[in-house]
Structures are given as structure tokens and as C-alpha cells.
């Protein structure tokens, strides 16, 4: 199993391009199930989660063509509307095939995702929404089995803000009969990117990016070409890495428009940041000032950036309080950071981090995708060598991590 070996102490410097957003690409790939015409996506990142989704679609009968960062999907001959446990268990986003399959084919069998390291992410909101739209939905032998010859528009209110639930129901509503209104909808930029693609395909959607989305169902959707938005979490992670190491970087192919909360906190920490239409420049101070954060749904501070900010606070001047309100188990990386010498105290969903002059390298274990990114940042600033185990988590969400970090001057390599 691959590991990542980091020799800390080098300030990141230079320019590197960001990839397309994993969390936008996954629902967009599922949108191909809604049409008989080919759908082409550009700026698709090379990630394990993307590979898993393409395998899932292919086993359903979707024709998949991939050339570099371009993927074309043709679901005209889809013959097997089933998402088996063997694929779903490795990626919870597989539940995103449920809505499109029921909407276009009238039936779907999708395995329940199973456990998740960072906390409970129930699919009951997806099921409740489809039932309100007229589908018969049951759970049989670990599978969600949904049937419905033609979904009906309905007023849907989600009990909690759910990104995948909003995306699933929005896709299903595109082919439903009549108007669907999703209240308490997720406002994330990835939801807007999906809506923009669906509208280009002929869907009638308004309100994406707000907490109320309206969809007027149509008879059919057409094929288009769509460029996937930049990955705001990858961008934020590299900004944090540069900030922690006292570096200066320019990230291209990305935008600060989706990162207001993250950029504001980095500037509070002492960084100088300028944004352009498709690039972000950061210059870090000699030492950061500790910044407190509280995670919440977009446009507030993203839970997917919490681990990275915990890492930069371990070497910042002062004490920071981090409150995690989204997932109940998302402080598992704290124990690993403590192995590097960090001073962190956990009390329920709150972490108190007292900064130190430096960390010391050690062997640590990644527990989830964003925790892995936090450990990488800590390894970049730790004295000596840090060995990160179980980096398959990183390969799920960061394209070419060691190559990009090396291009910025980091001493990092993959080892067996």
C-alpha cells in the first residue's frame, strides 16, 4: 500500500494549476443517465472516486469514452439500473444515480452506502423526496428499490441541508410531470454547476444557489458539452499549505468566488491574497496568527476545510477554537496531529489548538480524505520526515498531489 514521505521545512513557492472539482463532477456524471444523447464533460479530474463512478455507470450499460480530462457518456443503451454494493461501498456519492434512474427508467436498485468514517450521512432525505414525487420506495436486502412510471412534481422540504439530496432530487425533478419546489436546498457552488449543465440540456430550473429551487419538468433532455468548475477545496488546501510554510504561490485555473469564507480566514491569519478571474495569489507572513473557525453549510466556512485549518493553527501564534457542526466524527485527524507534537484539546465538537513554533516529523495514519490533507500540511512544516500511511484517501480527492507539491518546491514522494 502506498505511503507519502514528506521532508518538512521548505516554503512553497511558484505557480500550479488546479483541477476540476470532484464534488461537481460526480453528480454531473450521473446526469448522463437523464438523456439518450451523448454528454461530454471537460476538466474532469483523474481521481479514484471518478474512476469508481465511471465503472458504476459502465456496468449499467452506459458507454464511457475517456481521453485525458475529457469524458463522454452515452446512456442510450442503459440496460441494468442497479448500483451494486461492491462499488457503492467505496463511495457514498453513488447514491446520486438513484434520482436520475427513477426519473428516466421508472426503476432503480441502489445499494445503501454503509458506514462512513466521519459520521452519519443518511439517505432518508433522498427517499422521502422521491416518495413525495410519487415513487414507491422500499429498502430490501440492503438496497433502496424505487419504482415510479412517471414522477410527479411536488413541494419538497428537506429536514437538513443535504448537498447530494438536493442534487438527486433536482435531477429527478427535471423529467417529472409538473413543478417541483425544493425548500431548504443546499446552496453550494457544485449544486449551481449541476443546475447550469441541466439547464443547457433543456431543463427548466430557477433558484439554484439559493435555499429554494424550482424545477419545471420537461419531456426529455439533450446532450451537451460542459466544463466542470474548479475544485474549491483543492484550491483552499494549497492556499493553506502555502500559508503554513510561509510561502508565496499563484494558483491558476481556479477562482476565489467560491472561497470567500476561507480567504477571509487566511487574511485574518496574516496572509496577503489577491484574486483574479481565474487565479489566486497568496503571500504568507513569517508566522501565521491563529484563527478560530466554525463549520456550517455554504456560504459559511466549509467542513471540508476544517482539517486543513486545524493543521495551520498548530504552528500559528496564539490559540484557536474550532467548532465542527456538520459531522460528528471529524476530529480523528487531531490524534494524528498530536503525534507530530501539536497541542490540541478535544471537547465534543470543539477543538482548542494552541500553536507551537514547529512540529516534529513522525509516522501518522490518514483516516479520511480531508484529514489526509491536514496531515500533509502538517508534514510540510514539521522538522524531519513525516510518513503518512493509508494515502488512498488522498487519491480519492487530490489529483497529482505529490507532483503539484513538488512543483512548488516541497520535498515529497510516494513510497511503497
Amino acid at each position: 500500500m502506498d505511503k507519502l514521505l514528506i521532508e518538512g521545512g521548505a516554503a512553497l513557492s511558484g505557480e500550479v494549476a488546479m483541477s476540476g472539482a470532484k464534488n461537481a463532477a460526480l453528480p454531473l456524471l450521473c446526469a448522463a443517465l437523464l438523456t439518450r444523447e451523448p454528454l461530454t464533460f471537460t476538466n474532469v479530474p483523474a481521481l479514484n472516486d471518478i474512476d469508481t463512478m465511471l465503472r458504476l455507470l459502465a456496468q449499467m450499460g452506459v458507454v464511457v469514452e475517456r481521453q485525458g480530462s475529457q469524458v463522454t457518456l452515452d446512456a442510450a443503451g442503459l440496460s441494468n439500473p442497479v448500483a451494486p454494493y461492491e462499488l457503492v461501498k467505496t463511495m457514498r456519492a453513488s447514491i446520486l444515480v438513484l434520482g436520475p434512474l427513477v426519473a428516466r427508467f421508472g426503476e432503480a436498485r441502489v445499494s445503501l452506502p454503509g458506514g462512513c468514517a466521519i459520521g452519519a450521512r443518511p439517505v432518508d432525505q433522498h427517499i422521502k423526496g422521491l416518495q413525495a414525487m410519487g415513487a414507491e420506495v422500499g429498502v430490501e436486502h440492503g438496497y433502496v428499490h424505487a419504482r415510479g412510471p412517471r414522477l410527479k412534481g411536488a413541494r419538497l422540504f428537506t429536514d437538513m441541508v443535504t448537498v447530494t439530496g438536493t442534487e438527486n432530487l433536482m435531477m429527478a425533478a427535471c423529467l417529472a410531470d409538473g413543478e417541483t419546489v425544493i425548500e431548504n436546498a443546499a446552496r453550494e457552488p457544485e449544486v449551481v454547476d449541476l443546475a447550469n449543465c441541466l439547464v443547457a440540456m433543456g431543463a427548466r430550473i430557477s433558484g439554484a444557489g439559493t435555499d429554494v429551487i424550482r424545477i419545471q419538468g420537461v419531456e426529455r433532455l439533450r446532450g451537451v458539452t460542459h466544463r466542470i468548475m474548479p475544485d474549491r477545496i483543492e484550491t483552499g488546501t494549497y492556499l493553506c499549505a502555502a500559508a503554513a510554510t510561509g510561502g508565496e504561490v499563484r494558483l491558476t485555473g481556479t477562482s476565489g468566488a467560491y472561497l470567500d469564507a476561507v480567504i477571509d480566514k487566511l487574511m485574518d491569519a496574516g496572509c496577503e491574497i489577491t484574486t483574479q478571474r481565474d487565479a489566486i495569489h497568496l503571500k504568507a507572513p513569517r508566522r501565521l496568527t491563529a484563527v478560530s473557525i466554525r463549520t456550517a453549510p455554504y456560504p459559511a466556512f466549509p467542513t471540508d476545510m476544517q482539517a486543513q485549518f486545524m493543521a495551520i493553527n498548530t504552528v500559528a501564534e496564539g490559540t484557536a477554537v474550532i467548532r465542527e457542526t456538520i459531522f460528528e466524527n471529524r476530529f480523528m485527524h487531531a490524534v494524528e496531529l498530536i503525534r507530530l507534537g501539536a497541542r490540541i484539546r478535544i471537547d465534543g465538537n470543539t477543538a482548542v489548538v494552541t500553536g507551537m513554533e514547529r512540529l516534529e516529523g513522525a509516522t501518522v495514519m490518514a483516516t479520511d480524505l480531508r484529514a489526509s490533507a491536514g496531515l500533509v500540511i502538517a508534514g510540510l512544516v514539521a522538522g524531519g520526515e513525516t510518513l503518512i500511511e493509508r494515502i488512498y484517501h488522498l487519491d480519492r480527492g487530490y489529483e497529482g498531489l505529490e507532483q503539484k507539491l513538488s512543483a512548488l518546491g516541497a520535498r515529497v514522494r510516494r513510497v511503497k
Side-chain angles (χ1 to χ4, degrees):
M1 190 175 294
D2 287 359
K3 304 175 183 181
L4 204 64
L5 183 63
I6 303 173
E7 184 182 345
L12 299 191
S13 177
E15 180 176 297
V16 69
M18 296 291 95
S19 300
K22 172 182 82 87
N23 289 341
L26 293 173
L28 282 164
L29 295 175
C30 295
L33 297 169
L34 291 167
T35 176
R36 294 184 59 84
E37 299 181 16
L39 205 56
T40 297
F41 298 103
T42 61
N43 202 33
V44 180
L47 301 169
N48 286 352
D49 275 8
I50 299 297
D51 294 341
T52 299
M53 182 62 79
L54 293 178
R55 288 201 305 273
L56 175 60
L57 294 174
Q59 69 89 33
M60 292 180 180
V62 177
V63 177
V64 178
E65 295 182 8
R66 186 171 189 173
Q67 293 183 328
S69 62
Q70 178 171 304
V71 173
T72 298
L73 302 173
D74 186 343
L78 189 142
S79 56
N80 182 36
V82 177
Y85 176 70
E86 289 70 26
L87 290 172
V88 173
K89 69 180 180 181
T90 66
M91 184 184 64
R92 295 184 62 89
S94 305
I95 194 68
L96 286 163
V97 303
L98 180 63
L101 285 175
V102 178
R104 182 174 157 214
F105 298 96
E107 185 173 10
R109 290 185 70 244
V110 180
S111 171
L112 288 169
C116 176
I118 61 174
R121 295 200 264 189
V123 299
D124 58 328
Q125 302 302 309
H126 306 240
I127 293 174
K128 187 177 77 169
L130 290 174
Q131 288 174 329
M133 297 170 72
E136 296 180 8
V137 187
V139 178
E140 307 164 356
H141 307 292
Y143 280 76
V144 177
H145 191 183
R147 308 175 187 86
R150 178 79 191 269
L151 297 177
K152 306 290 185 183
R155 195 171 196 91
L156 312 177
F157 181 85
T158 58
D159 297 335
M160 55 186 291
V161 177
T162 161
V163 176
T164 54
T166 299
E167 292 166 339
N168 225 343
L169 298 174
M170 183 168 65
M171 286 190 283
C174 287
L175 296 180
D177 184 17
E179 181 183 67
T180 298
V181 180
I182 305 175
E183 299 185 41
N184 200 29
R187 300 163 61 184
E188 271 72 3
E190 293 81 7
V191 174
V192 178
D193 200 30
L194 174 62
N196 289 340
C197 178
L198 293 171
V199 168
M201 294 168 66
R204 298 171 62 190
I205 301 172
S206 63
T210 76
D211 60 359
V212 179
I213 301 176
R214 297 179 181 273
I215 308 103
Q216 296 285 344
V218 298
E219 284 292 326
R220 63 183 60 85
L221 297 175
R222 58 180 174 269
V224 295
T225 297
H226 179 82
R227 180 175 177 82
I228 292 168
M229 65 174 281
D231 195 315
R232 61 191 174 101
I233 304 302
E234 181 194 35
T235 300
T237 299
Y238 280 90
L239 291 175
C240 283
T245 60
E248 183 175 359
V249 298
R250 184 172 184 266
L251 307 182
T252 62
T254 188
S255 170
Y258 320 117
L259 282 168
D260 287 344
V262 170
I263 289 174
D264 285 349
K265 287 295 182 180
L266 286 171
M267 293 177 72
D268 289 345
C271 297
E272 298 177 16
I273 300 178
T274 55
T275 61
Q276 300 170 314
R277 187 177 62 84
D278 60 352
I280 303 174
H281 178 270
L282 177 143
K283 183 177 181 180
R286 188 192 67 82
R287 189 180 182 193
L288 299 171
T289 300
V291 288
S292 296
I293 60 171
R294 179 184 184 275
T295 66
Y298 188 86
F301 192 92
T303 182
D304 279 355
M305 286 300 303
Q306 178 256 107
Q308 298 89 316
F309 267 75
M310 183 179 288
I312 69 173
N313 276 320
T314 63
V315 291
E317 186 172 3
T319 298
V321 177
I322 298 175
R323 291 186 174 87
E324 173 59 58
T325 73
I326 307 297
F327 294 118
E328 66 271 21
N329 295 330
R330 209 161 200 180
F331 282 154
M332 291 186 291
H333 48 278
V335 178
E336 301 301 312
L337 291 171
I338 291 170
R339 287 182 50 79
L340 299 173
R343 288 189 287 182
I344 304 171
R345 179 170 55 85
I346 304 294
D347 182 11
N349 69 338
T350 301
V352 179
V353 185
T354 302
M356 305 176 61
E357 284 286 343
R358 62 179 290 171
L359 303 176
E360 296 295 336
T363 298
V364 293
M365 182 179 68
T367 54
D368 63 73
L369 172 55
R370 305 308 174 185
S372 308
L375 296 179
V376 169
I377 293 170
L380 292 171
V381 299
E385 292 185 341
T386 296
L387 184 67
I388 304 176
E389 299 182 341
R390 291 173 59 177
I391 62 167
Y392 57 84
H393 290 294
L394 282 169
D395 294 333
R396 289 183 48 231
Y398 290 95
E399 181 180 34
L401 179 81
E402 58 267 37
Q403 291 88 351
K404 291 182 180 181
L405 285 174
S406 296
L408 296 174
R411 298 184 288 264
V412 53
R413 59 189 175 92
R414 187 175 293 244
V415 298
K416 296 292 185 183

